[in-house]
Amino acid sequence: RVTFNSFISLVNSFSTRDIDKKVERFFKLIDEDGNGELSYDEILHLCQRSFQSMKDVETRPTDEEFYEDLAQFFATFIFKTTGVDLDDEITPSQLKDAIVDDTDGADLLEMFCGEALIKLN
């Protein structure tokens, strides 16, 4: 269910070119413990939720493992792209720097962040 306020927030997420605001919204949506940083588990949970809609469409039991592997791949990819060890946490500035500095994979990282904003709002 989408509330009017979350709809407006979503629309603003796409209309703004301000990377700081996009990153801030992304963190607010997925920072489960509220510490201002993203752990591997928080990113993994996001990836799992993102692929849930694909899993919901007539999947075979063998597909479960595929989607879990895919979620783990993307979670690891995000950490690799930001240059953060899996045991550490990603800060907003590290995510922003990876996107702004056009690090290898930055386009995919920015696209994934945008998709997360759509799916979680």
Side-chain angles (χ1 to χ4, degrees), residues 79-114:
F79 273 78
K80 181 180 178 187
T81 302
T82 56
V84 176
D85 291 334
L86 297 180
D87 294 334
D88 293 330
E89 294 192 321
I90 299 172
T91 65
S93 64
Q94 289 168 320
L95 181 63
K96 178 186 147 199
D97 290 347
I99 293 170
V100 170
D101 294 344
D102 202 24
T103 307
D104 281 343
D107 291 341
L108 185 57
L109 179 60
E110 186 171 13
M111 180 188 75
F112 190 77
C113 293

Side-chain angles (χ1 to χ4, degrees), residues 57-70:
V57 179
E58 200 175 318
T59 60
R60 299 178 304 255
T62 55
D63 292 341
E64 287 291 324
E65 185 176 331
F66 169 76
Y67 287 114
E68 183 59 30
D69 289 346
L70 194 58

Side-chain angles (χ1 to χ4, degrees), residues 25-49 89-90 120:
R25 288 183 183 126
F26 181 72
F27 270 72
K28 282 183 181 179
L29 285 171
I30 66 171
D31 183 13
E32 295 169 1
D33 62 10
N35 72 348
E37 298 179 346
L38 301 177
S39 68
Y40 179 82
D41 286 339
E42 289 169 326
I43 297 286
L44 180 61
H45 294 156
L46 165 69
C47 295
Q48 291 166 331
R49 289 189 309 264
E89 294 192 321
I90 299 172
L120 295 176

Side-chain angles (χ1 to χ4, degrees), residues 8 10 15 21 37 52 59 78 95-96 110 118:
I8 295 299
L10 177 64
S15 64
K21 286 183 181 178
E37 298 179 346
Q52 185 62 45
T59 60
I78 290 169
L95 181 63
K96 178 186 147 199
E110 186 171 13
I118 292 171

